[in-house]
Amino acid sequence: MSDTNQSGFLEVRNLTLQYKTSGFLVTATHDVSFSVEKGERLILLGPSGCGKSTILKAIGGFIKPSRGSILLNGSEVKKPGFDRSFVFQEFDQLLPWKSALENIVFAIRSTRKISKEDARSEARALLKKVNLQKFADSYPHELSGGMKQRVAIARCLALKSKVILMDEPFASLDALTRQKMQEELLELWNETQFTLVFVTHSIDEAITLGTRIVMLSPHPGEVIEELEVDLSALASSHPEFAALKERISDTLFRNRLDYVI
Ligand SMILES: Nc1ncnc2c1ncn2[C@@H]1O[C@H](COP(=O)(O)OP(=O)(O)O)[C@@H](O)[C@H]1O
Ligand SMILES: [Mg+2]
């Protein structure tokens, strides 16, 4: 279906998400709305527990809205599908009994009719894109956390999803690896221009990676402010970067005094 009139490629409208646990209701997000254009890098930024992961799971089709709706390319999201793919924070998202290459081959062949040989050469090209060509035959337990996240990103590209959803994918990495992964992700985006929804609680990461930042309040998450940015080419020491960081910190602090940067 084509885009409807004034809506974005991915439209989150008045989304309230709740968990029912043993008799009581936890409201994870309240009345959250934002839209994502094709090829945008949208960041959901907010403190721990504000419902970022829950929003991503709802976009993934794993959680049904209590109120509101999610539209992808004009169609309501009702269940999971290969048009949306995930990279999670945890490093155990690959099939442990398959090599890096075979993990990607498996993803390709789950979604498309393609010969094993063609899938293998496509997978090899994708591993090269994420600088892992030498580790094609390694198994997940033989790879570092950063390498496993690279395989997970390559797998998303293999699925040719309309939207890639990343839930704090670099949060468990050491600072240097994290920075390297952010640079590589931007390089990949420059080549492929995929639509990205990226969750983080790091203001630096949000500024580095985003074209737009949606700031969420503490639990239950509501949208505080939305900002257009594109400072991805700037170093974090650049005055413009520092000024934006201060502005975002102020906004988040105004809504929660103990926000940890
Ligand atoms: N499976 C669950 N059952 C009940 N409550 C949950 C569940 N998962 C998350 N929550 C609650 O929903 C809120 C939002 O959680 P989450 O989306 O994980 O936040 P974030 O990713 O921003 O840290 C939190 O209060 C959390 O305790
Ligand atoms: Mg989370």
Side-chain angles (χ1 to χ4, degrees), residues 24-93:
F24 64 97
L25 213 56
V26 179
T27 300
T29 69
H30 179 250
D31 201 23
V32 167
S33 298
F34 58 86
S35 71
V36 188
E37 297 305 325
K38 216 172 192 166
E40 232 189 338
R41 305 188 305 268
L42 184 109
I43 312 289
L44 293 176
L45 171 68
S48 183
C50 76
K52 303 181 295 296
S53 296
T54 308
I55 294 172
L56 274 203
K57 284 178 201 157
I59 297 173
F62 298 106
I63 296 177
K64 285 204 177 1
S66 302
R67 278 194 294 281
S69 59
I70 300 165
L71 300 172
L72 178 58
N73 215 10
S75 299
E76 188 158 359
V77 166
K78 290 191 170 142
K79 55 180 194 307
F82 289 121
D83 53 357
R84 287 143 287 149
S85 56
F86 266 99
V87 181
F88 297 101
Q89 178 176 349
E90 297 77 24
F91 297 151
D92 61 356
Q93 55 199 299

XYZ file of all heavy atoms in Angstrom, residues 24-93:
533
model
N -2.402 -6.789 38.061
C -2.359 -5.329 37.909
C -1.692 -4.912 36.605
O -1.013 -5.691 35.941
C -1.771 -4.632 39.134
C -0.339 -4.976 39.404
C 0.675 -4.143 38.958
C 0.006 -6.131 40.126
C 1.989 -4.454 39.213
C 1.322 -6.437 40.371
C 2.319 -5.605 39.916
N -1.924 -3.649 36.303
C -1.577 -3.119 34.991
C -0.384 -2.175 35.118
O -0.369 -1.280 35.937
C -2.797 -2.319 34.508
C -3.130 -2.274 33.045
C -3.315 -3.666 32.460
C -4.418 -1.469 32.845
N 0.664 -2.412 34.320
C 1.788 -1.466 34.285
C 1.694 -0.690 32.978
O 1.695 -1.280 31.905
C 3.150 -2.211 34.320
C 4.310 -1.219 34.248
C 3.260 -3.097 35.541
N 1.585 0.636 33.085
C 1.559 1.455 31.875
C 3.000 1.817 31.512
O 3.689 2.500 32.269
C 0.718 2.737 32.088
O -0.611 2.326 32.420
C 0.675 3.588 30.834
N 3.459 1.312 30.383
C 4.854 1.532 29.977
C 5.010 2.857 29.230
O 5.970 3.586 29.456
C 5.336 0.379 29.111
N 4.072 3.144 28.331
C 4.108 4.442 27.634
C 2.699 5.007 27.585
O 1.721 4.257 27.588
C 4.589 4.330 26.165
O 3.582 3.653 25.396
C 5.891 3.599 26.054
N 2.622 6.326 27.532
C 1.316 6.974 27.518
C 1.225 7.967 26.370
O 2.003 8.916 26.303
C 1.068 7.674 28.866
C -0.248 8.386 28.907
N -0.360 9.750 28.912
C -1.509 7.902 28.888
C -1.631 10.086 28.911
N -2.355 8.980 28.898
N 0.303 7.691 25.440
C -0.049 8.644 24.394
C 1.169 9.144 23.595
O 1.345 10.341 23.389
C -0.786 9.841 25.039
C -1.630 10.597 24.017
O -1.991 10.001 22.986
O -1.911 11.783 24.263
N 1.998 8.212 23.167
C 3.222 8.571 22.433
C 2.928 8.644 20.935
O 2.357 7.723 20.367
C 4.330 7.522 22.699
C 5.480 7.679 21.713
C 4.836 7.647 24.132
N 3.307 9.758 20.326
C 3.154 9.907 18.874
C 4.448 10.419 18.261
O 5.080 11.319 18.814
C 2.058 10.933 18.535
O 0.816 10.519 19.026
N 4.835 9.814 17.168
C 5.923 10.365 16.347
C 5.841 9.710 14.986
O 5.174 8.686 14.821
C 7.304 10.140 16.988
C 7.660 8.697 17.268
C 8.247 7.899 16.302
C 7.400 8.145 18.521
C 8.573 6.579 16.561
C 7.720 6.820 18.791
C 8.314 6.038 17.816
N 6.485 10.336 13.998
C 6.491 9.668 12.703
C 7.915 9.639 12.159
O 8.753 10.461 12.522
C 5.522 10.337 11.736
O 6.036 11.574 11.367
N 8.168 8.657 11.349
C 9.511 8.438 10.819
C 9.418 8.426 9.300
O 8.606 7.691 8.737
C 10.075 7.072 11.300
C 11.539 6.937 10.916
C 9.881 6.872 12.795
N 10.225 9.266 8.682
C 10.247 9.277 7.216
C 11.179 8.186 6.710
O 12.073 7.740 7.414
C 10.729 10.638 6.697
C 9.829 11.800 7.056
C 8.378 11.606 6.615
O 8.148 11.006 5.542
O 7.484 12.039 7.356
N 10.960 7.809 5.468
C 11.828 6.822 4.836
C 13.273 7.320 4.837
O 13.520 8.485 4.505
C 11.363 6.632 3.383
C 11.490 5.247 2.887
C 10.825 5.125 1.535
C 10.702 3.680 1.181
N 9.802 3.463 0.072
N 14.188 6.477 5.245
C 15.600 6.856 5.214
C 16.043 7.733 6.371
O 17.164 8.223 6.383
N 15.148 7.912 7.342
C 15.521 8.716 8.511
C 16.219 7.853 9.557
O 16.029 6.637 9.598
C 14.233 9.285 9.136
C 14.299 10.756 9.346
C 13.125 11.280 10.154
O 12.061 10.641 10.220
O 13.290 12.351 10.722
N 16.974 8.522 10.428
C 17.551 7.818 11.584
C 16.928 8.433 12.830
O 17.396 9.448 13.334
C 19.079 7.975 11.609
C 19.776 7.529 10.322
C 21.290 7.513 10.478
N 21.847 8.766 10.928
C 22.280 9.733 10.122
N 22.209 9.599 8.806
N 22.787 10.852 10.617
N 15.850 7.821 13.270
C 15.124 8.372 14.408
C 15.620 7.757 15.714
O 15.744 6.539 15.817
C 13.623 8.108 14.274
C 12.873 8.787 15.417
C 12.080 9.976 14.921
C 11.999 7.818 16.159
N 15.897 8.623 16.683
C 16.375 8.147 17.978
C 15.280 8.302 19.019
O 14.670 9.380 19.134
C 17.598 8.975 18.455
C 18.648 9.120 17.366
C 18.163 8.391 19.745
C 19.415 7.891 17.022
N 15.032 7.250 19.775
C 14.183 7.360 20.966
C 15.122 7.455 22.151
O 15.869 6.518 22.437
C 13.281 6.132 21.109
C 12.190 5.936 20.053
C 11.457 4.614 20.294
C 11.205 7.099 20.086
N 15.096 8.608 22.824
C 16.027 8.872 23.924
C 15.238 9.094 25.206
O 14.304 9.899 25.235
C 16.838 10.137 23.590
C 17.725 10.721 24.678
C 18.908 9.798 24.988
C 18.261 12.104 24.274
N 15.612 8.371 26.254
C 14.938 8.586 27.532
C 15.532 7.697 28.596
O 16.284 6.763 28.298
N 15.205 7.992 29.862
C 15.795 7.251 30.974
C 15.328 5.802 31.009
O 14.299 5.452 30.421
C 15.302 8.005 32.209
C 14.064 8.706 31.764
C 14.261 9.027 30.314
N 16.082 5.009 31.709
C 15.751 3.596 31.868
C 14.335 3.438 32.424
O 13.932 4.186 33.308
C 16.800 3.011 32.826
O 16.571 1.665 32.963
N 13.581 2.526 31.864
C 12.229 2.252 32.359
C 11.146 3.128 31.746
O 9.968 2.996 32.090
N 11.516 4.019 30.791
C 10.497 4.927 30.236
C 9.710 4.288 29.096
O 8.815 4.911 28.542
C 11.122 6.248 29.786
S 12.015 6.141 28.226
N 10.059 3.068 28.744
C 9.243 2.350 27.761
C 9.829 2.284 26.363
O 9.133 1.914 25.412
N 11.124 2.565 26.221
C 11.744 2.569 24.882
C 11.675 1.177 24.243
O 11.268 1.025 23.101
C 13.216 3.030 24.971
C 13.398 4.389 25.610
C 14.857 4.823 25.647
C 15.769 3.966 26.523
N 15.448 3.977 27.955
N 12.104 0.165 25.013
C 12.089 -1.202 24.466
C 10.662 -1.633 24.150
O 10.413 -2.316 23.150
C 12.697 -2.194 25.463
O 14.044 -1.896 25.683
N 9.724 -1.218 24.999
C 8.326 -1.603 24.788
C 7.805 -0.996 23.485
O 7.091 -1.664 22.725
C 7.476 -1.164 25.998
O 8.096 -1.658 27.187
C 6.068 -1.714 25.904
N 8.179 0.252 23.206
C 7.745 0.884 21.945
C 8.311 0.097 20.754
O 7.598 -0.208 19.793
C 8.208 2.364 21.868
C 7.492 3.193 22.933
C 7.953 2.947 20.478
C 8.019 4.624 23.072
N 9.607 -0.261 20.850
C 10.212 -1.020 19.732
C 9.511 -2.360 19.543
O 9.261 -2.786 18.418
C 11.695 -1.274 19.984
C 12.708 -0.215 19.577
C 14.077 -0.857 19.386
C 12.322 0.516 18.307
N 9.195 -3.020 20.673
C 8.500 -4.320 20.565
C 7.132 -4.148 19.920
O 6.676 -5.004 19.170
C 8.347 -4.958 21.944
C 9.649 -5.557 22.465
C 9.441 -6.135 23.852
C 10.768 -6.259 24.577
N 10.598 -6.291 26.042
N 6.482 -3.036 20.216
C 5.171 -2.783 19.599
C 5.330 -2.527 18.099
O 4.553 -3.036 17.290
C 4.491 -1.602 20.285
N 6.370 -1.768 17.718
C 6.616 -1.555 16.280
C 6.945 -2.896 15.626
O 6.537 -3.177 14.497
C 7.763 -0.528 16.051
C 7.382 0.838 16.607
C 8.090 -0.426 14.556
C 8.512 1.872 16.586
N 7.658 -3.736 16.367
C 7.979 -5.077 15.867
C 6.748 -5.976 15.752
O 6.803 -7.033 15.125
N 5.646 -5.579 16.357
C 4.415 -6.373 16.295
C 4.313 -7.430 17.385
O 3.465 -8.322 17.326
N 5.179 -7.327 18.398
C 5.176 -8.328 19.474
C 4.234 -7.948 20.619
O 3.876 -8.789 21.434
C 6.590 -8.522 20.023
C 7.569 -9.031 19.000
C 8.526 -8.194 18.447
C 7.492 -10.349 18.554
C 9.408 -8.661 17.477
C 8.367 -10.825 17.585
C 9.325 -9.980 17.043
N 3.880 -6.668 20.704
C 2.977 -6.189 21.762
C 1.861 -5.389 21.097
O 2.123 -4.566 20.227
C 3.735 -5.270 22.750
C 4.820 -6.059 23.475
C 2.782 -4.633 23.746
C 5.647 -5.206 24.414
N 0.640 -5.643 21.520
C -0.491 -4.917 20.927
C -0.744 -3.624 21.704
O -0.707 -3.633 22.933
C -1.748 -5.785 20.996
C -1.744 -6.899 19.994
C -3.160 -7.346 19.679
C -3.229 -8.435 18.620
N -2.009 -8.945 18.055
N -1.026 -2.531 20.999
C -1.327 -1.279 21.705
C -2.585 -1.407 22.571
O -3.547 -2.057 22.162
C -1.606 -0.294 20.562
C -0.988 -0.877 19.354
C -1.018 -2.366 19.540
N -2.551 -0.795 23.765
C -3.781 -0.689 24.556
C -4.641 0.410 23.966
O -5.860 0.323 23.945
C -3.461 -0.346 26.006
O -2.622 -1.327 26.550
N -3.956 1.478 23.534
C -4.631 2.545 22.788
C -3.680 3.029 21.699
O -2.464 2.905 21.843
C -4.982 3.720 23.710
C -6.268 3.494 24.503
C -6.762 4.800 25.139
N -5.844 5.294 26.158
C -5.785 4.808 27.405
N -6.566 3.807 27.763
N -4.945 5.318 28.276
N -4.252 3.584 20.634
C -3.429 4.122 19.562
C -3.079 3.069 18.522
O -3.570 1.933 18.585
N -2.245 3.469 17.579
C -1.928 2.547 16.488
C -0.546 2.817 15.905
O 0.053 3.859 16.145
C -2.983 2.693 15.382
O -2.981 4.027 14.921
N -0.076 1.836 15.162
C 1.200 1.955 14.451
C 0.941 1.620 12.993
O 0.370 0.565 12.696
C 2.240 0.976 15.040
C 2.487 1.286 16.519
C 3.554 1.039 14.253
C 3.200 0.189 17.262
N 1.344 2.526 12.112
C 1.159 2.279 10.680
C 2.516 2.246 9.999
O 3.358 3.114 10.231
C 0.334 3.403 10.040
C -1.072 3.641 10.576
C -1.663 4.906 9.961
C -1.981 2.460 10.245
N 2.713 1.223 9.181
C 3.936 1.148 8.382
C 3.531 1.214 6.919
O 2.779 0.346 6.452
C 4.699 -0.151 8.691
C 5.978 -0.383 7.883
C 6.973 0.749 8.060
C 6.627 -1.713 8.273
N 3.993 2.248 6.240
C 3.640 2.444 4.841
C 2.119 2.402 4.636
O 1.618 1.827 3.673
C 4.322 1.362 4.000
C 4.733 1.879 2.641
O 4.677 3.085 2.379
N 5.126 0.986 1.763
N 1.393 2.953 5.581
C -0.063 3.054 5.462
C -0.843 1.865 5.998
O -2.063 1.928 6.114
N -0.150 0.754 6.341
C -0.861 -0.426 6.849
C -0.611 -0.590 8.342
O 0.517 -0.416 8.811
C -0.371 -1.707 6.168
O -0.604 -1.625 4.803
N -1.666 -0.962 9.056
C -1.534 -1.110 10.507
C -0.655 -2.314 10.847
O -0.813 -3.405 10.293
C -2.922 -1.266 11.128
C -2.856 -1.229 12.632
C -4.175 -0.843 13.277
O -5.158 -0.575 12.552
O -4.207 -0.828 14.510
N 0.279 -2.111 11.771
C 1.137 -3.207 12.245
C 0.326 -4.070 13.205
O -0.181 -3.576 14.203
C 2.386 -2.628 12.968
C 3.108 -3.711 13.754
C 3.313 -1.962 11.972
N 0.186 -5.338 12.875
C -0.604 -6.219 13.734
C 0.182 -7.407 14.238
O -0.179 -8.036 15.233
C -1.844 -6.713 12.980
C -2.841 -5.603 12.749
C -4.175 -6.122 12.261
C -5.215 -5.009 12.266
N -6.109 -5.085 11.128
N 1.228 -7.754 13.544
C 2.040 -8.902 13.948
C 3.482 -8.728 13.460
O 3.744 -7.854 12.626
C 1.422 -10.194 13.424
C 1.171 -10.242 11.928
C 0.554 -11.582 11.595
C 0.537 -11.941 10.143
N -0.020 -11.068 9.174
N 4.388 -9.577 13.962
C 5.773 -9.466 13.480
C 5.874 -9.792 11.994
O 5.007 -10.469 11.443
C 6.509 -10.539 14.302
C 5.653 -10.805 15.490
C 4.240 -10.591 15.032
N 6.899 -9.299 11.349
C 7.104 -9.592 9.929
C 8.505 -9.204 9.522
O 9.159 -8.410 10.208
N 8.957 -9.763 8.413
C 10.333 -9.508 7.978
C 10.536 -8.080 7.458
O 11.657 -7.692 7.141
C 10.747 -10.512 6.896
C 10.953 -11.897 7.429
C 10.215 -12.967 6.935
C 11.877 -12.134 8.430
C 10.406 -14.250 7.424
C 12.079 -13.409 8.935
C 11.339 -14.471 8.433
N 9.428 -7.316 7.334
C 9.608 -5.919 6.920
C 10.191 -5.068 8.050
O 10.544 -3.910 7.853
C 8.290 -5.322 6.388
C 7.129 -5.491 7.348
O 7.313 -6.115 8.419
O 6.035 -4.991 7.024
N 10.265 -5.653 9.256
C 10.938 -4.975 10.386
C 11.956 -5.942 10.978
O 11.625 -7.101 11.224
C 9.923 -4.609 11.470
C 9.005 -3.451 11.112
C 7.617 -3.675 11.649
N 6.924 -4.697 10.910
C 6.004 -5.521 11.435
N 5.674 -5.448 12.692
N 5.429 -6.440 10.678
N 13.193 -5.498 11.179
C 14.167 -6.396 11.802
C 14.835 -5.722 12.991
O 14.873 -4.492 13.078
C 15.192 -6.871 10.781
O 15.806 -5.770 10.174
N 15.345 -6.562 13.887
C 15.829 -6.100 15.189
C 17.323 -6.326 15.389
O 17.856 -7.361 14.983
C 15.145 -6.927 16.284
C 13.899 -6.298 16.842
C 12.648 -6.692 16.394
C 13.987 -5.337 17.834
C 11.494 -6.126 16.913
C 12.842 -4.768 18.364
C 11.594 -5.162 17.905
N 17.969 -5.397 16.077
C 19.246 -5.688 16.734
C 19.042 -5.348 18.204
O 18.647 -4.219 18.539
C 20.417 -4.846 16.179
C 21.719 -5.221 16.880
C 20.565 -5.033 14.673
N 19.272 -6.312 19.080
C 19.055 -6.112 20.512
C 20.365 -5.785 21.213
O 21.459 -5.942 20.659
C 18.477 -7.395 21.135
C 17.132 -7.769 20.590
C 17.003 -8.769 19.634
C 15.989 -7.119 21.021
C 15.757 -9.124 19.118
C 14.738 -7.459 20.516
C 14.630 -8.461 19.567
N 20.243 -5.374 22.458
C 21.431 -5.099 23.277
C 22.209 -6.382 23.570
O 23.433 -6.405 23.582
C 21.000 -4.438 24.591
C 22.162 -4.159 25.518
C 21.727 -3.416 26.785
O 20.606 -2.929 26.885
N 22.626 -3.338 27.731
N 21.467 -7.459 23.815
C 22.088 -8.722 24.218
C 22.883 -9.307 23.056
O 22.496 -9.206 21.899
C 21.025 -9.738 24.666
C 20.236 -9.333 25.894
C 19.159 -8.280 25.605
O 18.712 -8.182 24.436
O 18.799 -7.537 26.536
N 23.987 -9.967 23.397
C 24.852 -10.514 22.350
C 24.430 -11.914 21.899
O 25.073 -12.516 21.066
C 26.304 -10.565 22.844
C 26.895 -9.214 23.157
C 27.876 -9.090 24.118
C 26.470 -8.079 22.479
C 28.434 -7.851 24.404
C 27.019 -6.826 22.763
C 27.997 -6.719 23.730
N 23.354 -12.457 22.492
C 23.002 -13.854 22.194
C 21.842 -13.972 21.213
O 21.010 -14.845 21.317
C 22.676 -14.605 23.495
C 21.495 -13.968 24.215
O 21.007 -12.915 23.725
O 21.064 -14.515 25.241
N 21.797 -13.042 20.239
C 20.661 -13.050 19.309
C 20.933 -13.852 18.040
O 20.068 -13.960 17.184
C 20.264 -11.621 18.971
C 21.423 -10.796 18.436
C 21.157 -9.309 18.534
O 20.210 -8.830 17.940
N 21.987 -8.578 19.254
